[in-house]
Amino acid sequence: MTNSEMLIPEANDQQKERGLWMDALYRLAQNKASLIGGGMVVLLVLMAIFANYIAPYSFSEQDRQLTDAVPQWVTVIFPTIKPYAEVSDKFPIGADYVGRDMLSRLIYGARISLVVAFVGAMISLFIGTIYGLTSGFFGGRVDNLMMRFVDIMYAFPSMLMIILMMAFFRSSFAESEPGTLAYVMNSIDQRFGGMLFIFIGIGITAWMGTARLARGQVLSLREQEFTLAAKALGASNSRIIFKHLLPNVLGPLMIRVTLSIPGYISTEAFLSFIGLGVNAPTPSWGSMISDGAVAIRTYPHQAIFPAIALSFTMFAFNFLGDGLRDALDPRLRGTQ
Amino acid sequence: MGRYIIQRFLWMFLVLFVISMITFAMMHAVPGGPFTQEKALPPEIIANLEKRYHLDEPYWKQYLLYIDNVMVPHVSSDAAPEMTDEALIEINLPGGRYLRWINFGPSYSSRSRTVNDIFREQLPVSIQLGVISMAIAITIGLPLGVISALKQNTIWDFLGMSVAIFGVSMPVVAMGPILIWIFGVALKWLPPTGWGAKPPFTLFFIPNTIGSWDFWKHTLMPAFAVGTGYSAIIARLTRASLLQVIHEDYIRTARAKGLSERIVTTRHALRNALIPVVTILGPMFAGVLTGLFVVEQVFGIPGMGKYFITSITNRDYPVIMGAILMYAFFLVISNVFVDITYAWLDPRIRYD
């Protein structure tokens, strides 16, 4: 066999692979919804990364003289605010109940929502995919055992579990002795403004759907000729899983994970709303809404602006997810 | 089918049992008891309190005691039991005896009330709100999805799906305050807080004021806040499922037979298209429940959700245990019903 002959199949292979992804990218670019959604997400990410430079004030800086103050234009949108609020143009969209700049807190709050979104997606993708691939690939007893475990976990009301675990973490780990694992986790959590436990809470329930999907895909793929061929050539199990099966299941998994991101964002907002989320004074849209909702009749801006920011972000991810699905898998169009 | 139903119910009991164990273990793993306060109580008083609530017993005994109180019906002859022994279900038996069943115990943080008291007063309110929210989600979602699918790629489809994507992007946490501000504060059409139903309730939860505007004016906003997001999910799923069914061969056959378009849509297409929609009703119920935690807080509604959240910070074990078991029971049983309905609609499910 000459050199050139050996090169041909490889070259073809590469071309085909690039073709597939280029094609997906092309279709993604054709899809207006995903472009708009993607653009909104990029803007939000930039805003979160450069929050230090964009935000006019620090998120915890207080002006005691100007609690609940609003600028002129806010009194135009919310006319009912006039009898209560002091008018001051110091804060671009007004101040909260202890005189912190709402806009700066909104900008920093994007960090929490986005970090939770990406970490939730990553946990769901990594753990779920590996779990599902292993289960589906080995099949038989292993599959049965692993999937029963998922079934049991699935039967639990996940939100109740998250609430319970958060309450447990928050009260039990805070009082642990130095030197224990609980203490270390608690100090890491403190360092990150209370986000570690949110990741754990969301991570515990997020991977199961992905695992089921990955397993289902692998079950059908492993019966196909190319898997058999790889096996016949003596490829190791991990090589088959990661080189042959993974690229084939990645498309549907990506779609699913993107579509589940708004769920993680709203879960974090919910947890922060009921007081089990981030620690004060770290701003989260959920806790801002919770603080603002108390005074919704007098100072509506304190709840409405974070509510709009939250919906805007979820809207962006929903749009992106929809577009991604239409572009990568036209058969699934309109489902979920 | 019978075997399948029994199997699902056994599964349900297993899940509830495991949930009760996990909850119990977690609540007791937390350092500090319910009587740990800023201003420490004298040790004798704590010892007495713990004896009173059986907290000095070993954990396994406490757990068994609890399960016994909740699960096992007790027959006794005293007419008025001690307050903490009072049960949710009380039936007069012949011979001056009473059958008492389901006793969730006392509440530690409000000493004058039992967990059953809290359930009796707060749970009906949550159920009323939950049922109306689900009804709103279905009555908006289904027609929206059907119209969008039947008029695919027209302006109606576009409008319907735009509404739906806005709906899924508005979590209850955001929707609640926005609705209050628009309809409660700016337009003043509806009262921003409060609830329009008081006990007694027919059938445990149906308010006697159900026909009056006083009840509905308090209900509409919170129910919409919870229901809109789910109506959007239902609409999207209905549309997708109906579009898939409409292109099946048996629909073409039905048309070829000369059936009217209305019959084809309702009898042949819709019936099959609704099967996947049924499956999301279970998870949706769970979502409505967490939505209730939020709206009850935002709208100041005296429901169970508010109590549950405060009981966690107060470490009121019996209330936490009781609420989690009650919620888990509703969730799991709704899942079982969804499973059974699904198996009944689509017999293939039972054999997988």
Side-chain angles (χ1 to χ4, degrees):
Chain A
M1 209 186 278
T2 63
N3 245 350
S4 64
E5 266 175 312
M6 284 206 27
L7 275 174
I8 291 168
E10 207 171 290
N12 266 344
D13 193 22
Q14 257 178 10
Q15 200 175 26
K16 200 180 162 200
E17 197 177 349
R18 194 171 57 221
L20 179 76
W21 288 105
M22 283 301 279
D23 183 47
L25 210 63
Y26 176 74
R27 272 186 287 166
L28 201 61
Q30 293 295 96
N31 187 304
K32 281 202 191 87
S34 66
L35 273 189
I36 296 170
M40 284 157 79
V41 170
V42 168
L43 275 181
L44 283 163
V45 171
L46 289 177
M47 185 175 97
I49 293 174
F50 298 108
N52 312 23
Y53 304 101
I54 305 170
Y57 302 92
S58 132
F59 61 80
S60 55
E61 189 183 324
Q62 296 182 15
D63 187 338
R64 285 282 181 190
Q65 307 298 311
L66 290 172
T67 52
D68 303 309
V70 290
Q72 191 64 43
W73 68 273
V74 172
T75 63
V76 179
I77 314 177
F78 302 117
T80 52
I81 212 169
K82 272 178 198 148
Y84 309 104
E86 201 166 329
V87 177
S88 154
D89 284 330
K90 180 180 173 190
F91 301 116
I93 64 167
D96 70 358
Y97 67 108
V98 285
R100 294 175 295 200
D101 178 36
M102 291 277 298
L103 181 66
S104 307
R105 287 180 68 73
L106 275 186
I107 292 172
Y108 278 101
R111 283 188 172 176
I112 306 284
S113 287
L114 292 177
V115 167
V116 167
F118 288 118
V119 171
M122 284 301 130
I123 293 175
S124 152
L125 197 60
F126 274 111
I127 300 182
T129 308
I130 292 174
Y131 195 94
L133 284 180
T134 319
S135 177
F137 180 74
F138 289 106
R141 187 175 285 172
V142 178
D143 181 40
N144 212 343
L145 207 70
M146 287 176 85
M147 278 303 125
R148 278 299 90 77
F149 179 65
V150 174
D151 281 348
I152 294 172
M153 293 281 287
Y154 227 81
F156 284 108
S158 57
M159 207 64 213
L160 284 185
M161 270 341 231
I162 294 182
I163 294 175
L164 195 64
M165 297 211 35
M166 298 298 290
F168 173 68
F169 286 145
R170 289 263 177 268
S171 51
S172 126
F173 285 20
E175 292 168 34
S176 53
E177 300 287 315
T180 57
L181 178 67
Y183 183 81
V184 175
M185 282 174 75
N186 195 56
S187 25
I188 298 175
D189 185 58
Q190 293 287 326
R191 184 85 36 91
F192 287 100
M195 276 198 281
L196 179 70
F197 291 146
I198 298 181
F199 296 156
I200 297 177
I202 289 179
I204 276 174
T205 51
W207 58 275
M208 291 178 286
T210 328
R212 278 190 167 178
L213 181 67
R215 173 195 174 251
Q217 299 274 327
V218 168
L219 277 187
S220 64
L221 284 175
R222 72 178 184 145
E223 302 302 328
Q224 290 184 12
E225 286 81 2
F226 70 90
T227 320
L228 194 68
K231 223 178 244 174
L233 286 170
S236 68
N237 280 343
S238 63
R239 191 183 159 81
I240 297 178
I241 292 179
F242 289 108
K243 283 277 172 184
H244 297 274
L245 298 180
L246 187 63
N248 282 296
V249 299
L250 218 49
L253 287 177
M254 285 290 292
I255 297 168
R256 196 203 146 86
V257 166
T258 315
L259 282 172
S260 59
I261 283 180
Y264 306 136
I265 297 179
S266 73
T267 303
E268 185 277 325
F270 169 75
L271 286 174
S272 295
F273 181 90
I274 64 173
L276 290 173
V278 295
N279 304 331
T282 315
S284 150
W285 294 337
S287 54
M288 290 173 78
I289 295 173
S290 168
D291 292 338
V294 179
I296 183 99
R297 276 188 269 192
T298 37
Y299 306 116
H301 69 287
Q302 292 177 5
I304 300 287
F305 288 139
I308 291 173
L310 181 62
S311 315
F312 179 83
T313 309
M314 284 181 61
F315 184 74
F317 278 104
N318 272 325
F319 238 50
L320 179 66
D322 274 11
L324 203 65
R325 180 193 51 213
D326 292 349
L328 291 182
D329 196 346
R331 280 170 308 160
L332 287 173
R333 182 179 274 264
T335 52
Q336 267 239 337
Chain B
M1 189 75 190
R3 235 189 94 197
Y4 181 79
I5 293 175
I6 293 169
Q7 199 188 327
R8 295 313 302 172
F9 270 94
L10 287 179
W11 183 240
M12 178 185 105
F13 278 111
L14 181 74
V15 168
L16 285 178
F17 177 69
V18 177
I19 289 178
S20 71
M21 291 251 272
I22 295 179
T23 317
F24 188 84
M26 272 194 182
M27 284 303 119
H28 288 270
V30 174
F35 307 116
T36 320
Q37 295 173 355
E38 301 262 309
K39 189 163 164 272
L41 291 167
E44 297 83 20
I45 292 185
I46 291 191
N48 273 339
L49 279 170
E50 288 188 340
K51 201 173 168 60
R52 168 85 176 71
Y53 294 122
H54 303 288
L55 293 174
D56 53 347
E57 307 270 10
Y59 287 145
W60 63 269
K61 216 168 176 181
Q62 287 185 38
Y63 179 72
L64 288 185
L65 217 73
Y66 183 81
I67 293 296
D68 175 63
N69 273 332
V70 173
M71 296 284 290
V72 184
H74 291 262
V75 179
S76 72
S77 53
D78 15 310
E82 219 186 312
M83 190 200 72
T84 49
D85 288 336
E86 173 232 35
L88 207 58
I89 295 174
E90 201 172 288
I91 302 165
N92 287 347
L93 295 177
R97 291 153 75 81
Y98 296 87
L99 182 120
R100 298 200 171 85
W101 191 25
I102 310 180
N103 172 16
F104 282 108
S107 158
Y108 293 158
S109 55
S110 55
R111 305 277 155 74
S112 58
R113 301 175 81 200
T114 63
V115 181
N116 284 340
D117 283 334
I118 297 174
F119 280 160
R120 223 171 277 139
E121 284 159 39
Q122 265 73 43
L123 200 58
V125 173
S126 288
I127 296 178
Q128 289 159 9
L129 188 52
V131 167
I132 297 170
S133 307
M134 294 273 279
I136 285 182
I138 295 170
T139 45
I140 296 180
L142 270 186
L144 206 63
V146 171
I147 291 171
S148 298
L150 291 182
K151 311 230 180 235
Q152 195 195 358
N153 295 335
T154 65
I155 183 82
W156 299 110
D157 182 21
F158 178 75
L159 274 180
M161 286 305 108
S162 308
V163 171
I165 200 164
F166 275 107
V168 287
S169 308
M170 292 282 256
V172 187
V173 175
M175 194 78 162
I178 291 177
L179 282 185
I180 292 192
W181 187 73
I182 297 177
F183 296 104
V185 180
L187 297 174
K188 288 195 172 44
W189 287 354
L190 297 163
T193 50
W195 195 246
K198 283 191 177 65
F201 300 116
T202 324
L203 273 177
F204 191 67
F205 76 95
I206 300 169
N208 298 327
T209 49
I210 194 155
S212 72
W213 171 239
D214 202 47
F215 173 68
W216 289 100
K217 73 177 181 191
H218 285 106
T219 319
L220 283 177
M221 261 201 298
F224 262 98
V226 179
T228 315
Y230 293 95
S231 74
I233 295 175
I234 293 180
R236 281 156 62 113
L237 191 65
T238 310
R239 174 179 179 271
S241 159
L242 194 56
L243 280 181
Q244 208 166 29
V245 168
I246 273 177
H247 296 129
E248 297 280 340
D249 288 343
Y250 62 81
I251 298 294
R252 195 177 306 146
T253 313
R255 286 210 180 105
K257 280 196 300 189
L259 292 180
S260 74
E261 196 58 24
R262 195 176 58 87
I263 301 257
V264 173
T265 318
T266 51
R267 291 271 176 81
H268 292 75
L270 207 51
R271 247 186 218 189
N272 287 296
L274 287 187
I275 292 176
V277 180
V278 169
T279 55
I280 62 154
L281 292 183
M284 190 179 111
F285 191 78
V288 165
L289 208 86
T290 44
L292 292 183
F293 295 159
V294 175
V295 286
E296 283 173 11
Q297 205 100 322
V298 175
F299 289 86
I301 296 165
M304 196 56 222
K306 251 177 108 173
Y307 262 87
F308 178 55
I309 305 295
T310 42
S311 71
I312 286 182
T313 36
N314 289 342
R315 280 190 221 152
D316 199 339
Y317 300 151
V319 181
I320 302 172
M321 282 286 282
I324 288 201
L325 278 184
M326 196 60 116
Y327 281 135
F329 174 74
F330 278 122
L331 289 180
V332 175
I333 206 158
S334 73
N335 275 332
V336 168
F337 274 111
V338 165
D339 281 354
I340 292 171
T341 319
Y342 193 33
W344 175 66
L345 286 171
D346 189 350
R348 281 170 301 178
I349 302 300
R350 270 173 270 160
Y351 307 111
D352 71 348

